Amino acid sequence: MNSQAEQQLPPFPFHTLVLLREREIAEQLRRAFEQRYLPEHLFYWLPSSVQAWVDLCRSTEYKNANRALEVLRAAAPGLVGQYPNITTICGLGCGEGSKDRILLEAFVSTGKKLNYVAADFSQALLELAADHVDDVVASALGCKLDVFDDWHLGAIAGATQTFEGPALYSVLGNTLGAFDPRTFPARIRRDIALHDHFLFDGEIFSDSTLAGYDNPTNRRFAWGPLTGVGITENDGKLEFSTAPAGDGLFAVTKHFTANRDLRVNLGGEAVEIRAGETLRMSNSMKYANETALLDFVEAGGFRIESQWRSRDGHFVLACAAPV
């Protein structure tokens, strides 16, 4: 078969477990604008947001992703050697799959293809993740969920456990900071098996943290949910800042302030935003130090087994076992 014919073949069917319906997400978006607060997961749903996220992950300006990939590449061979019996990776908040692919490739290099469970809020990102790892997995299952829903989280663990053998649950790219590091470790601990493992990472706060976010590429991502509903830079100002958040956490905050009256149509209903009103957006949590990050996970019912740092010391990756 020639290459032109191969390019015309349709994509292989990708099976997805849908726990969260599109109409539910649309309703969440409408309520978010009414309440003047956009939570983290809504930044990955609209087409403008998905494309902005993919562009951000490929950007050299986005130090968060660059450090995450750097540490993963350094740690992956050791993880394979440490956990040779792993049969499945479950990527919670998998995004477009680039981070989990590094782990899957490391297992493939030893002659072992794993099962992959891709879990995210966005159907578009799940499809990108499936395409991204297609050649390095034994099987792939997408799970569309709201990770803040305990029933959804339990259902994902149940789907992962249908594959025999230990699983590695990954929460990468400082995503634990978005899931709430104070509570998420204990929530996932309730559902995983004793032979499973939890791989997570986090960004250590520094004087340069804000510069890693307040740049043109990240601004396009932050604008994603706004431009997706017709709000542009002519309609207001987007600002970033940092602030202590207690318990060894620092928050990178962002908000949009309208400079004129706006009328946004969401699902057939209009939401009015007056000039001077502020639309708050989800915080990105960072850690005062490595100990703060590890303590949250240990307090959730885990034992830290191994850890790695980026070359600049501002990003930490660790793997833990349930106790």
Side-chain angles (χ1 to χ4, degrees):
M1 182 180 293
N2 61 44
S3 60
Q4 183 177 0
E6 289 176 349
Q7 291 173 1
Q8 294 172 352
L9 289 174
F12 191 78
F14 174 51
H15 299 286
T16 305
L17 173 64
V18 177
L19 302 174
L20 183 67
R21 305 272 183 121
E22 290 292 284
R23 58 177 173 77
E24 294 177 275
I25 302 175
E27 176 61 19
Q28 287 186 22
L29 184 66
R30 184 187 63 79
R31 289 201 307 268
F33 273 89
E34 287 180 342
Q35 297 166 4
R36 305 298 192 264
Y37 175 72
L38 287 176
E40 174 76 13
H41 52 274
L42 292 178
F43 282 79
Y44 304 89
W45 183 52
L46 294 167
S48 57
S49 296
V50 171
Q51 186 57 55
W53 173 248
V54 172
D55 292 342
L56 182 62
C57 289
R58 295 170 178 169
S59 168
T60 57
E61 295 174 306
Y62 190 38
K63 295 185 181 300
N64 187 331
N66 296 334
R67 291 174 181 137
L69 294 172
E70 172 205 323
V71 180
L72 268 173
R73 290 189 182 104
L79 282 166
V80 173
Q82 190 171 359
Y83 307 112
N85 296 326
I86 293 294
T87 63
T88 306
I89 288 179
C90 176
L92 292 164
C94 64
E96 86 298 357
S98 60
K99 300 172 187 69
D100 288 327
R101 182 181 172 92
I102 292 173
L103 300 171
L104 293 163
E105 284 179 337
F107 279 93
V108 166
S109 71
T110 67
K112 184 178 181 180
K113 283 190 175 183
L114 302 187
N115 305 300
Y116 182 48
V117 179
D120 208 287
F121 182 83
S122 164
Q123 179 69 26
L125 286 176
L126 287 174
E127 292 172 7
L128 287 173
D131 290 343
H132 199 53
V133 305
D134 183 62
D135 60 324
V136 291
V137 296
S139 69
L141 172 68
C143 296
K144 185 162 169 275
L145 83 164
D146 181 348
V147 77
F148 296 99
D149 185 309
D150 286 340
W151 186 86
H152 287 192
L153 203 57
I156 296 309
T160 301
Q161 289 161 9
T162 61
F163 300 103
E164 292 184 2
L168 180 66
Y169 289 81
S170 64
V171 178
L172 302 172
N174 198 59
T175 300
L176 181 61
F179 287 174
D180 190 349
R182 298 180 179 97
T183 62
F184 185 80
R187 292 179 59 227
I188 190 61
R189 173 63 189 90
R190 288 196 294 265
D191 296 308
I192 70 174
L194 280 173
H195 61 204
D196 294 333
H197 291 83
F198 179 39
L199 184 68
F200 61 95
D201 61 20
E203 183 178 351
I204 307 304
F205 183 81
S206 71
D207 292 340
S208 63
T209 296
L210 186 59
Y213 283 79
D214 194 0
N215 59 66
T217 308
N218 195 56
R219 278 184 164 273
R220 282 194 294 275
F221 170 65
W223 273 100
L226 303 177
T227 57
V229 298
I231 298 175
T232 72
E233 294 186 29
N234 294 325
D235 297 317
K237 185 177 183 181
L238 181 66
E239 296 181 287
F240 288 79
S241 62
T242 61
D247 299 326
L249 292 171
F250 287 84
V252 176
T253 65
K254 53 186 179 289
H255 65 269
F256 167 80
T257 303
N259 60 20
R260 61 186 179 188
D261 292 347
L262 302 174
R263 185 179 177 87
V264 182
N265 289 311
L266 297 162
E269 297 186 33
V271 175
E272 295 184 351
I273 301 174
R274 301 297 181 188
E277 279 196 283
T278 293
L279 182 67
R280 295 184 301 115
M281 300 177 175
S282 62
N283 299 331
S284 179
M285 291 297 181
K286 316 300 178 188
Y287 305 89
N289 49 51
E290 182 176 316
T291 300
L293 168 61
L294 302 183
D295 283 353
F296 282 125
V297 175
E298 290 184 326
F302 290 90
R303 178 184 70 256
I304 305 300
E305 293 189 319
S306 50
Q307 58 199 79
W308 302 262
R309 269 183 175 252
S310 61
R311 288 189 297 270
D312 65 7
H314 294 312
F315 211 86
V316 174
L317 173 74
C319 196
V323 294

